[in-house]
Amino acid sequence: MSFNTYGNDQEKNMDNKENDANVYAADVERIPRSNSSNGMEVEIDQDGAHLDRTLSERQVTMLAIAGIIGTGLFLGTGRAIVHGGAVGAWLGYFVMAILSFCMMMSLGEMSCHQPSSGNFVAFTSAYVNDALGSACGWIYFMFGALFAPVEISAACVILQYWDKNTSHASIYTAVLIVFVITANAIGVRWFGEIEFWFGFIKVATILGLILVGIVINAGGGPVKDHIGFRIWKEYPFNDEYGGISNVNTARFLGFWAVLTQAAFSFSGLESLAVVAGEAKNPRKVMARAFKQVFQRIAVLYLLSLFIISLNVSRVDPNLLGALAEASGTAAQSPFVIMINRAGIKALPAIINAVVFTSAISSGNEGFFFGSRTLVALATRGHAPRFLLRTNRLGSPYFTVIVQGCFACLSFLSVSNGSATAFSWLSNLTTLCSLISWICICVAYIRFHKATVVQGFDRKLLPFRGYFQPYLAWFALVGFFLVTLFNVAHLQRDHTRK
């Protein structure tokens, strides 16, 4: 790959940041180029499909903040508390948050430099080789293809909170599949608007729940129980994880189980880069969006789990009972358990409604990212070219149809053994996400090496990550270890069954 360099006369004229930005803006369309494995020159910012750049800064900002926050945060955090204890769960999420932040700094730098739809494929193809680009693209497509039915199925299960008649599940599933397909077929501008309001509901609810949790912890609820750090002192870790007698081993394995759960909650964080190919003024908008990733991680994930860990114990009978029943409704949400124990009524039904909309939103976004990844694969010859065709609204309708076929996996939720089937689908989405993160880190390490070798000044980039390439290496090693432990954990569970 080669980066444009500037002559001595040009360098003398670049005496302020504004001039630097102007020079970069003029030259960025031509860099970087890559010699692919087949010897052909590839420019990674050109897409074969005519996708519309109609996502506004407001919509991209909300996608950056709310993203595909769904059942992983609202429901999955309860299982993390049980596996790791109060302190172990928060530490697990904290470690995964640090790794995810390092990965996003790497991805943000590449995405803002060369924004394109489905750019995971572009980056790995250009900076490593076409084989890895193809593999990364198909893995991430599988993430979107499986994530959508998982969330749609979860939304249908949540509806049982109001409708106990399980025979209606197939009807609800069909309606939600049609909704998601329609939202992705009517154009990216309307998709962005739908997700903006879904995201607004999610963020407002989480912030409200954080405030309620603070009040409850301080003894401001009807029960007047001042909890403080009592739970952190009594049940900091899980000393009995998996029935292991050795306390230190049990605590360690419980902590690693939390990392796997946290990976599912953070999965999709990288999908912000996919919308770069359809955003207005992408380099400016995406740079701002990536700068907001820290707020999303720190407030929506770490602060939420911190409040939960202060108020809900890993031995709480309501939490253990809800997880044993695997209801999939807000009954197993630690937020609901926290509120019920404080004696506050009515809120659980509201939270259930928010979890329902969050599941739909997550499934909708997973559907979108899967379809755009197919476009990127087709653009680079790794998938049939007919997938590049778009309708008059700029939507790649063939990729939407393919995604719609995978969305029909949601009907597994109405069959016998659905819990087992979707447990495996959830684990597969987590593995796909972890492998994608590893590929992103590898691509960035190669990208950074190219800037060093060719003397390209990274200060000219629209967005520049901190302490690179050390953060990318740290994230690469961390994700690799988490992936290995996740596979080992799945094999152990399969052996037991």
Side-chain angles (χ1 to χ4, degrees):
M1 73 190 72
S2 63
F3 290 83
N4 276 11
T5 55
Y6 309 106
N8 292 332
D9 293 338
Q10 288 175 303
E11 291 177 355
K12 293 178 182 178
N13 293 330
M14 293 191 297
D15 54 359
N16 56 61
K17 290 185 177 180
E18 182 178 358
N19 195 29
D20 287 349
N22 291 336
V23 173
Y24 176 79
D27 290 344
V28 73
E29 298 298 335
R30 298 191 299 274
I31 58 177
R33 292 179 182 270
S34 163
N35 289 326
S36 64
S37 59
N38 58 11
M40 298 181 63
E41 193 176 52
V42 179
E43 185 160 333
I44 70 173
D45 64 333
Q46 293 181 350
D47 291 320
H50 299 288
L51 303 176
D52 290 341
R53 291 189 180 273
T54 52
L55 281 175
S56 67
E57 183 174 355
R58 169 179 62 89
Q59 294 168 339
V60 173
T61 299
M62 185 56 71
L63 286 172
I65 297 173
I68 59 174
I69 294 175
T71 56
L73 177 61
F74 286 106
L75 303 182
T77 46
R79 192 173 298 278
I81 292 291
V82 172
H83 284 164
V87 179
W90 191 85
L91 286 177
Y93 269 72
F94 178 77
V95 171
M96 185 55 64
I98 295 298
L99 294 175
S100 299
F101 178 77
C102 295
M103 179 272 298
M104 289 298 287
M105 290 298 98
S106 305
L107 179 60
E109 190 168 315
M110 295 186 293
S111 297
C112 296
H113 174 57
Q114 288 290 324
S116 63
S117 182
N119 49 24
F120 304 141
V121 185
F123 297 153
T124 49
S125 294
Y127 305 139
V128 188
N129 57 49
D130 281 340
L132 184 63
S134 177
C136 180
W138 283 109
I139 288 172
Y140 199 71
F141 163 71
M142 290 305 299
F143 166 77
L146 297 177
F147 193 84
V150 167
E151 293 294 321
I152 291 173
S153 177
C156 293
V157 174
I158 291 169
L159 285 175
Q160 295 177 10
Y161 182 86
W162 295 284
D163 187 355
K164 305 297 183 181
N165 191 340
T166 56
S167 62
H168 294 165
S170 58
I171 300 175
Y172 295 139
T173 300
V175 170
L176 292 179
I177 290 175
V178 171
F179 170 80
V180 169
I181 292 175
T182 303
N184 280 269
I186 59 177
V188 69
R189 182 168 69 91
W190 292 108
F191 166 84
E193 196 64 23
I194 292 172
E195 287 303 315
F196 173 84
W197 290 109
F198 275 145
F200 178 81
I201 294 172
K202 287 188 283 189
V203 172
T205 302
I206 292 173
L207 294 178
L209 290 173
I210 290 174
L211 292 176
V212 170
I214 293 173
V215 172
I216 292 174
N217 186 263
V223 178
K224 305 296 182 183
D225 180 18
H226 180 268
I227 302 174
F229 282 86
R230 183 199 313 159
I231 294 176
W232 273 47
K233 294 177 181 179
E234 294 178 352
Y235 304 101
F237 299 97
N238 188 345
D239 298 341
E240 305 167 351
Y241 178 79
I244 299 173
S245 57
N246 187 289
V247 173
N248 292 329
T249 303
R251 288 182 174 184
F252 176 77
L253 293 179
F255 167 77
W256 277 97
V258 172
L259 285 180
T260 301
Q261 182 64 48
F264 178 74
S265 296
F266 282 101
S267 61
L269 192 67
E270 75 293 335
S271 57
L272 173 62
V274 178
V275 304
E278 295 172 81
K280 298 177 182 177
N281 194 5
R283 293 188 178 91
K284 176 183 176 182
V285 171
M286 296 307 296
R288 292 180 179 177
F290 274 98
K291 290 176 182 177
Q292 294 167 338
V293 168
F294 176 77
Q295 292 92 317
R296 172 183 171 183
I297 293 176
V299 176
L300 299 185
Y301 286 98
L302 295 183
L303 184 55
S304 296
L305 189 64
F306 176 70
I307 297 300
I308 290 171
S309 66
L310 289 177
N311 292 283
V312 181
S313 167
R314 71 173 183 84
V315 296
D316 188 295
N318 294 324
L319 176 60
L320 295 175
L323 292 176
E325 293 176 3
S327 62
T329 66
Q332 71 181 62
S333 171
F335 290 112
V336 172
I337 293 171
M338 171 184 70
I339 292 170
N340 283 333
R341 289 185 67 84
I344 303 175
K345 300 180 179 179
L347 276 181
I350 298 175
I351 296 174
N352 205 77
V354 173
V355 175
F356 172 72
T357 59
S358 298
I360 298 176
S361 172
S362 298
N364 192 32
E365 291 193 37
F367 192 104
F368 175 85
F369 300 135
S371 67
R372 294 318 188 262
T373 303
L374 269 184
V375 169
L377 287 166
T379 299
R380 289 155 185 85
H382 302 310
R385 296 286 297 179
F386 72 85
L387 295 173
L388 297 175
R389 297 178 184 175
T390 58
N391 58 21
R392 61 183 181 85
L393 299 174
S395 177
Y397 57 91
F398 275 115
T399 65
V400 171
I401 293 173
V402 173
Q403 279 288 90
C405 294
F406 279 92
C408 291
L409 289 172
S410 305
F411 286 104
L412 286 173
S413 62
V414 302
S415 64
N416 295 328
S418 60
T420 301
F422 275 87
S423 173
W424 277 98
L425 288 178
S426 298
N427 290 326
L428 282 174
T429 59
T430 303
L431 281 174
C432 289
S433 191
L434 285 168
I435 295 172
S436 298
W437 294 345
I438 291 173
C439 293
I440 290 169
C441 294
V442 171
Y444 179 80
I445 291 170
R446 294 283 296 168
F447 170 84
H448 187 276
K449 180 67 174 179
T451 63
V452 173
V453 171
Q454 300 178 30
F456 183 80
D457 189 358
R458 290 176 57 245
K459 293 181 180 179
L460 298 177
L461 295 172
F463 177 85
R464 184 161 54 100
Y466 310 106
F467 308 113
Q468 293 290 16
Y470 308 107
L471 292 188
W473 276 107
F474 176 73
L476 175 62
V477 174
F479 289 139
F480 181 75
L481 291 176
V482 173
T483 303
L484 286 181
F485 272 85
N486 187 31
V487 173
H489 178 74
L490 292 176
Q491 288 179 339
R492 188 190 68 171
D493 289 347
H494 179 69
T495 302
R496 286 182 174 180
K497 293 177 182 179

